[in-house]
Amino acid sequence: MPYPFLARAASALLLVASVACSSSKDDTPAPAKPGISWTVDNSNLTANSMQLQTSTDAYEVGAYYNLGAVASNYISLRIPKAVGTYPFSPTSVAGASYSVLNNSVATAVYYAGANPIGNGTVIGAGTIVVQEVTASQVTGTFTFTGIDRDTGNTKSLSNGKFVVRL
């Protein structure tokens, strides 16, 4: 062979190319785990179960956090179907509620958002931020202060995060 260095160079290039193309690392991000988490009364909670209903303009998500055999908390979020920041207002579809349950009976319900949703007086305050909407999931954050209509007491939820599979 008249050019032996070319054969060695070509072999080396093929080896480098095959190693570069056969990396075992997958750069595809892993899907986020579905769920809802929040902070209330200095406790970080993550829902044990979730349910989803879809309306024309929002995803309505409910989630339970069980504290034990006789008590649990329930959070309900009305999440708009488009990416954006949604402060609760008389015309916003965004809204939330938080319930404290004892033996499946609500002992206190804290509402935040328009009542009825989208065209009434705002009770409480809050914001839902929709960060991503795909064909398979919606993700984002929330914070709100709900008001118990019967007592006037308030409950503040912060550090809220959601990943909801559609």
Side-chain angles (χ1 to χ4, degrees):
M1 180 174 224
Y3 303 105
F5 76 93
L6 285 178
R8 284 190 297 264
S11 294
L13 283 174
L14 283 173
L15 179 62
V16 168
S18 68
V19 169
C21 292
S22 67
S23 171
S24 63
K25 183 177 184 243
D26 183 1
D27 291 331
T28 306
K33 183 178 176 186
I36 297 178
S37 62
W38 65 93
T39 302
V40 62
D41 297 332
N42 296 317
S43 295
N44 297 319
L45 305 180
T46 299
N48 305 88
S49 64
M50 272 189 342
Q51 57 195 24
L52 168 71
Q53 292 184 341
T54 302
S55 67
T56 305
D57 52 1
Y59 302 108
E60 298 179 37
V61 180
Y64 283 96
Y65 172 78
N66 296 321
L67 296 172
V70 296
S72 66
N73 296 339
Y74 180 77
I75 189 168
S76 175
L77 300 174
R78 188 162 165 87
I79 304 167
K81 288 186 168 182
V83 171
T85 299
Y86 299 91
F88 299 172
S89 74
T91 58
S92 175
V93 297
S97 68
Y98 184 73
S99 303
V100 178
L101 307 172
N102 190 354
N103 288 325
S104 300
V105 176
T107 58
V109 182
Y110 303 90
Y111 297 96
N115 182 21
I117 299 279
N119 63 359
T121 304
V122 173
I123 184 169
T127 301
I128 292 179
V129 178
V130 179
Q131 296 168 326
E132 177 186 45
V133 178
T134 68
S136 61
Q137 73 180 21
V138 59
T139 64
T141 62
F142 64 91
T143 183
F144 70 90
T145 298
I147 298 175
D148 183 327
R149 291 183 206 171
D150 295 331
T151 65
N153 293 337
T154 63
K155 185 71 72 173
S156 293
L157 282 74
S158 61
N159 302 317
K161 296 178 183 143
F162 59 86
V163 175
V164 178
R165 292 286 155 80
L166 305 176

